[in-house]
Amino acid sequence: MFLEPSVKKGWIEVICGSMFSGKTEELLRRLRRVVIANQEVQIFKPSIDTRYDETRIVSHDSKSIPSLPVENSADILKYAGNAEVIAIDEAQFFDDQLPHVCETLALRGVRVIVAGLDMDFLGKPFGSMPHLLSTAEYVTKLHAICVCCGQLATHSYRKSANAEQIALGATDIYEARCRVCYHQHDQPHTHSSGTIPVDMAG
Ligand code: ZN
C-alpha cells in the first residue's frame, strides 16, 4: 500500500499496469485522501479518452471524480493553477512532452500522480510511460488477474481484429492475460504491418 511521504517538496508518482489492474481505482484512492487532507487538486486526462464520461475520471467500478480533458501535455501546465497535487490519468495517450511537464511541476513543489498503461496490446512500452517510470520517485506496478489461468496478469490482450492504432474499449475488446497465456495465443494481427502500435486504454 502506497503511503504519502511527509515531506513538502514536489515529486512524481507513477501508477502503472495492464488493463483491469486497478490503476484508476488506486488513483482515486490517493485522490480521496488528498481531498480529506484539504489539499488543492487538479485532475487531467487526454481528451481522446471519452469512453465513459466527458469530464470525469471513471474507473471500471464506476467510482468517479471530476477531471479536465486536455488536448496535449502543455495544457496541463496552462491549467495547473495553484494546485498542490496534479493527477494525470491515461498518461500513455499524451505526447512526448509529458515527462518534461511532470518534471516542471515537481520542481515547483507539486505532487504529481501519473496513472497509465505501461504496455500496449503488442506488449511494447507505451508512449511516455517508460520515461516516466525511470524518472519518478515512486512507482507502483499493479496486476490484473489472467482470465485464462487465474495467475497475475501483466499484459493487455486485444480480442478483436481491429487493426486501428488506437482502439478504445474495455472488456468488449481487451482482456488481461499473464505473460505465458498472452504468448500462447497469436494476436489477431502481427507486427508485420509496419505501423507503430499505439493503443488501448484502461
Ligand atoms: Zn495466464
Side-chain angles (χ1 to χ4, degrees):
M1 175 86 63
F2 182 84
L3 290 176
E4 297 81 359
S6 57
V7 293
K8 281 285 182 185
K9 296 184 296 182
W11 65 86
I12 301 171
E13 298 161 32
V14 175
I15 304 164
C16 71
S18 68
M19 292 190 69
F20 314 111
S21 63
K23 297 183 300 298
T24 300
E25 286 89 339
E26 173 61 14
L27 179 62
L28 291 173
R29 187 188 72 83
R30 295 185 193 185
L31 293 178
R32 281 193 294 271
R33 293 161 68 86
V34 168
V35 171
I36 291 168
N38 273 323
Q39 293 174 325
E40 196 172 331
V41 59
Q42 181 63 61
I43 306 157
F44 296 96
K45 68 176 182 179
S47 53
I48 187 174
D49 183 40
T50 55
R51 279 172 299 171
Y52 303 102
D53 191 292
E54 290 288 339
T55 57
R56 302 178 80 82
I57 292 177
V58 182
S59 65
H60 293 299
D61 67 359
S62 295
K63 293 173 187 162
S64 73
I65 196 164
S67 72
L68 183 62
V70 289
E71 292 289 329
N72 53 56
S73 60
D75 282 348
I76 295 173
L77 283 180
K78 200 156 114 187
Y79 299 113
N82 294 318
E84 299 157 85
V85 179
I86 297 282
I88 302 161
D89 199 18
E90 303 293 355
Q92 75 279 353
F93 287 137
F94 277 102
D95 53 88
D96 61 6
Q97 290 304 298
L98 184 62
H100 173 71
V101 167
C102 293
E103 177 107 21
T104 301
L105 290 165
L107 287 171
R108 286 184 193 168
V110 174
R111 175 187 176 190
V112 183
I113 313 174
V114 180
L117 288 164
D118 46 7
M119 285 184 278
D120 65 15
F121 80 109
L122 292 175
K124 305 293 182 195
F126 206 151
S128 293
M129 290 300 288
H131 190 141
L132 288 161
L133 288 166
S134 303
T135 53
E137 276 87 346
Y138 307 102
V139 172
T140 302
K141 179 152 180 162
L142 299 173
H143 299 84
I145 296 296
C146 177
V147 299
C148 302
C149 74
Q151 300 298 305
L152 290 180
T154 48
H155 288 63
S156 304
Y157 182 86
R158 188 188 275 185
K159 296 187 285 183
S160 78
N162 181 356
E164 293 296 314
Q165 285 189 315
I166 295 173
L168 294 173
T171 52
D172 53 332
I173 302 180
Y174 301 103
E175 63 188 25
R177 291 194 179 188
C178 70
R179 186 188 302 277
V180 171
C181 294
Y182 174 85
H183 285 287
Q184 270 175 353
H185 305 267
D186 286 332
Q187 289 281 317
H189 30 269
T190 66
H191 301 70
S192 61
S193 67
T195 56
I196 299 168
V198 178
D199 179 74
M200 287 186 331

